[in-house]
Amino acid sequence: MSAEVAHAAIAVLRGLVGPAMAVVYVSQAAHALGKDLESLEPSDADGLCVELRKLMSGYCSLAMLEDMCEDVHRQMAAAASGSA
Amino acid sequence: MGVLPRRAAVTAGALLASIVVAAAAMRAVSANADMAAALSTAGAVAFAVFAVAAAWSLASRLQRGEPLQVQVAAIGAGMAALVAGDFVYWAHESLLRVEPYPSSADLLYIASFPLLGGGLLLALRAFTRGQRQTVPLAVSAAVSLAGTVAVWLTVLGPLMGDTEASVLEKALGAFYPLGDLWLLLFPALALALALVRFAGGRLATPWAIVSFGALAMAATDTAYTWLDYAGTYVSGSLVDVGWWVAYAAIGLGLVTLAEVQGVRGGRSRER
């Protein structure tokens, strides 16, 4: 899998936490799953969201975290189908 | 979306206009010291009540016990303590005709520091989870320490050596400036510096505004400390506008927070 799936997740976070922290967060979350950015797959979206919630739940409302995770799922899947 | 969501931008414009008009009015009546002082107090209470209302409105729309609610509630409670302290101070001075300092108003003022500082520290911890934040903490501690030295050399040192001041007056006289420097300035500056890494993201903007408000409050309080010790402070002077700006900024930050978190109106979510 190319890095496009990871970039899709980063794009979701960019508007929320800025471009620098979006990369940091997705990288940390992927690392926690035992992966790097290039190897992320749409099936990792659930695990990625769990890790992102751990990082962001202190300053994100629960409602916003739900929305973010829906977006992450959708955008990662779209990126994977687009690059297939 | 620009720097601020639409509703927050409108609120910012209204607050700015209110501050400018009220400051002009206060300057126009400056020859009448009582009227200028009353206008100053009314403005401070009005902007602080706005901040309390913004905190209450947001906290009540978040789910019970979620971290963001605790931070907002702490800041709202801190602002409420300030408003209550102002009321008690006014009651002592104007109704009971007794010296308002020191008085029970000081208990409320003192309570506002850990509440406001605690809310800021909780937000700082939230934004720095999983990140090393040595520089913001070190820089903030250095600034607060420098301020402490300056205040000690100019005000606290002489106050502590004043044989006519009571122990309570010395304790309160030390707590206020030190509380400003370590319970307001330190967490607010550390949070503001930590938020730099979040530049370009909309979640940092509200807390940057709240931090600015807390920094403005600490700066105005410190200016008041120096002016009061020098005997040159006059209630109703333009330095009081600093408190208006501080309280208005904290309220605006909380209004903006509600907007960016999508909890405006309780249900709607801005995307």
Side-chain angles (χ1 to χ4, degrees):
Chain A
M1 189 67 65
S2 71
E4 286 179 26
V5 173
H7 287 154
I10 290 169
V12 172
L13 265 68
R14 193 178 295 137
L16 299 176
V17 298
M21 288 309 295
V23 173
V24 170
Y25 277 173
V26 175
S27 298
Q28 283 188 353
H31 183 73
L33 298 177
K35 296 206 165 190
D36 53 29
L37 289 179
E38 286 72 24
S39 62
L40 279 177
E41 301 172 21
S43 59
D44 294 320
D46 281 339
L48 204 64
C49 276
V50 169
E51 297 302 324
L52 291 174
R53 280 174 183 269
K54 288 179 190 172
L55 292 167
M56 300 172 67
S57 62
Y59 59 88
C60 255
S61 68
L62 297 179
M64 174 164 264
L65 287 171
E66 280 179 28
D67 285 352
M68 180 193 74
C69 281
E70 284 175 17
D71 275 355
V72 166
H73 274 93
R74 190 165 50 243
Q75 296 301 329
M76 287 175 73
S81 62
S83 63
Chain B
M1 191 187 295
V3 175
L4 291 178
R6 186 173 174 277
R7 182 163 168 262
V10 171
T11 305
L15 287 169
L16 185 61
S18 302
I19 290 171
V20 169
V21 169
M26 195 164 69
R27 192 169 178 79
V29 301
S30 59
N32 184 333
D34 287 343
M35 191 175 288
L39 196 53
S40 168
T41 302
V45 169
F47 288 116
V49 166
F50 161 70
V52 173
W56 176 265
S57 172
L58 174 55
S60 64
R61 287 176 166 84
L62 294 167
Q63 292 187 29
R64 185 181 295 273
E66 67 175 293
L68 190 60
Q69 188 190 48
V70 177
Q71 297 158 24
V72 171
I75 289 172
M79 294 305 299
L82 278 179
V83 173
D86 280 348
F87 176 77
V88 172
Y89 188 98
W90 169 81
H92 275 80
E93 190 174 45
S94 302
L95 298 180
L96 303 175
R97 305 286 181 189
V98 296
E99 173 60 39
Y101 177 82
S103 71
S104 51
D106 291 296
L107 293 176
L108 292 159
Y109 291 139
I110 288 170
S112 71
F113 285 94
L115 288 166
L116 289 168
L120 292 166
L121 283 173
L122 287 172
L124 173 66
R125 191 178 69 168
F127 275 100
T128 57
R129 185 174 294 169
Q131 316 295 318
R132 293 180 66 180
Q133 291 292 339
T134 310
V135 172
L137 291 173
V139 170
S140 304
V143 172
S144 294
L145 188 59
T148 301
V149 172
V151 167
W152 179 266
L153 292 175
T154 54
V155 178
L156 293 186
L159 175 65
M160 293 303 141
D162 185 348
T163 54
E164 293 183 5
S166 68
V167 173
L168 180 59
E169 285 173 331
K170 288 181 181 180
L172 287 174
F175 178 84
Y176 283 124
L178 295 180
D180 281 316
L181 291 167
W182 290 101
L183 296 176
L184 276 182
L185 187 145
F186 173 73
L189 185 57
L191 177 57
L193 293 173
L195 291 175
V196 169
R197 297 184 72 186
F198 292 78
R202 66 180 188 268
L203 292 181
T205 305
W207 286 107
I209 299 170
V210 171
S211 295
F212 169 77
L215 289 171
M217 193 189 303
T220 308
D221 284 351
T222 304
Y224 166 79
T225 297
W226 275 319
L227 292 171
D228 189 51
Y229 185 75
T232 56
Y233 173 76
V234 178
S235 181
S237 58
L238 280 181
V239 71
D240 294 1
V241 176
W243 283 306
W244 298 354
V245 170
Y247 302 162
I250 289 172
L252 175 64
L254 296 172
V255 167
T256 309
L257 188 59
E259 287 280 287
V260 302
Q261 295 282 344
V263 295
R264 179 165 64 93
R267 298 276 192 282
S268 63
R269 291 172 175 175
E270 187 170 322
R271 303 299 299 275

